[in-house]
Amino acid sequence: MAVGVFDSGLGGLTVLEAVRKTLPDVPFVYFADSKHAPYGVRDANDIFDLTTAATERLWAAGCDLVILACNTASAAALRRMQESFVPRDKRVLGVFVPLIEALTERQWGDNSPPREVAVQHVALFATPATVRSRAFQRELAFRAIGVDVEAQACGGLVDAIEEGDMILAEALVRSHVDALKRKMPMPQAAILGCTHYPLMQDIFQDALGPEVTVYSQASLVAASLSDYLARHPDMYGPGKDSAFLTTGDPRKVSVHATQFLRHPITFTSA
Ligand code: DGL
């Protein structure tokens, strides 16, 4: 009954931690494409090719349902995958939908005209590829009116986190928040639109100030996944065992994952 969770690297572990709390009996196979991280500086074709290869590996591990716990892959490749790549007996879901549902206070399939929502000034922190895709702004505009989104591409931050360089990562968060505030001095809400960024959530919150609500994608995705699986129990795959797979150096990836999540995690070669 295994479910697959994919990210370019360590970021999707923030989503995995939350979904494991909600679904403690489900085995999860986690795939970190560490060799090819970061995805955020790649073009859409490249991201599509890498994400489909990883998804096939998770299908081979007995996971019929794969969660793209990566905003960059969700923004740049998911729609094309669903249109041309995913067979009828498999599913691939992204991390965008639950976030948009929470911000716009409505279900994804609700096609009523856009309406006003509680937040009007939203800061989006994401990778260069996610910002360039404008996927977040597009989906929000379908559903909500009067929401001003200012996006900040956080160049370098995923690399620093993957390398475990927390001093550089903190400096980058503070400089990206400063850059955002020069464009939008008083955001009401901030979206950490990259699953790596919750690993730096305290620094984001500190730099933004206590009055800014920081949206946590991990808990939203966890709630949405358990709801999906309750409605689609046939999407549990035949896999039985949990695993952590990486295309990078398993020893190095295990050390950094353990450092971030503060409990031992052992990756093996994908
Ligand atoms: N965790 C990925 C995301 O949510 C990081 C992308 C990257 O590798 O740049 O966007």
Side-chain angles (χ1 to χ4, degrees):
M1 58 186 289
V3 172
V5 177
F6 160 79
D7 183 42
S8 61
L10 301 173
L13 292 172
T14 59
V15 174
L16 181 68
E17 290 279 286
V19 297
R20 280 171 114 185
K21 281 193 193 118
T22 321
L23 298 161
D25 300 326
V26 175
F28 287 96
V29 181
Y30 185 85
F31 184 108
D33 193 8
S34 322
K35 185 176 169 191
H36 302 108
Y39 278 19
V41 293
R42 294 176 180 275
D43 68 26
N45 281 334
D46 209 5
I47 294 168
F48 177 85
D49 291 343
L50 293 169
T51 307
T52 49
T55 300
E56 280 173 338
R57 177 68 183 86
L58 285 167
W59 287 339
C63 304
D64 290 350
L65 169 64
V66 172
I67 310 299
L68 301 186
C70 175
N71 289 271
T72 307
S74 301
L78 181 57
R79 186 181 291 187
R80 185 171 158 201
M81 286 172 76
Q82 288 170 335
E83 284 168 3
S84 65
F85 168 76
V86 182
R88 292 175 77 90
D89 60 339
K90 307 273 192 272
R91 289 287 181 285
V92 179
L93 303 175
V95 283
F96 253 56
V97 171
L99 186 63
I100 300 282
E101 286 181 332
L103 260 180
T104 59
E105 305 152 24
R106 65 154 93 186
Q107 299 279 304
W108 192 251
D110 177 347
N111 286 325
S112 58
R115 53 179 182 258
E116 282 188 15
V117 296
V119 287
Q120 270 144 21
H121 303 289
V122 177
L124 170 67
F125 296 95
T127 66
T130 300
V131 169
R132 203 169 49 239
S133 76
R134 296 192 59 80
F136 182 83
Q137 291 92 322
R138 188 180 60 235
E139 298 300 345
L140 202 60
F142 282 144
R143 298 167 177 83
I145 43 176
V147 183
D148 180 19
V149 179
E150 195 62 66
Q152 176 66 30
C154 299
L157 186 50
V158 167
D159 310 63
I161 292 172
E162 286 292 314
E163 286 305 313
D165 188 340
M166 302 315 292
I167 294 172
L168 177 60
E170 174 167 351
L172 285 168
V173 169
R174 293 192 187 279
S175 87
H176 286 304
V177 169
D178 280 351
L180 182 283
K181 281 187 164 174
R182 283 196 289 277
K183 297 179 280 184
M184 178 182 273
M186 304 269 275
Q188 290 168 294
I191 289 158
L192 305 187
C194 167
T195 53
H196 281 70
Y197 301 172
L199 295 167
M200 305 301 295
Q201 182 147 346
D202 293 350
I203 311 293
F204 270 103
Q205 185 75 69
D206 185 59
L208 283 159
E211 61 289 348
V212 180
T213 308
V214 176
Y215 276 78
S216 156
Q217 207 168 26
S219 54
L220 296 171
V221 172
S224 161
L225 177 62
S226 51
D227 177 58
Y228 179 87
L229 284 168
R231 288 183 288 113
H232 302 276
D234 52 312
M235 287 320 300
Y236 285 112
K240 293 197 175 17
D241 300 316
S242 293
F244 291 89
L245 307 175
T246 178
T247 53
D249 171 358
R251 195 197 52 81
K252 182 176 159 194
V253 177
S254 302
V255 168
H256 290 162
T258 300
Q259 169 194 341
F260 278 121
L261 297 182
R262 300 194 181 96
H263 60 80
I265 294 184
T266 305
F267 276 85
T268 56
S269 271

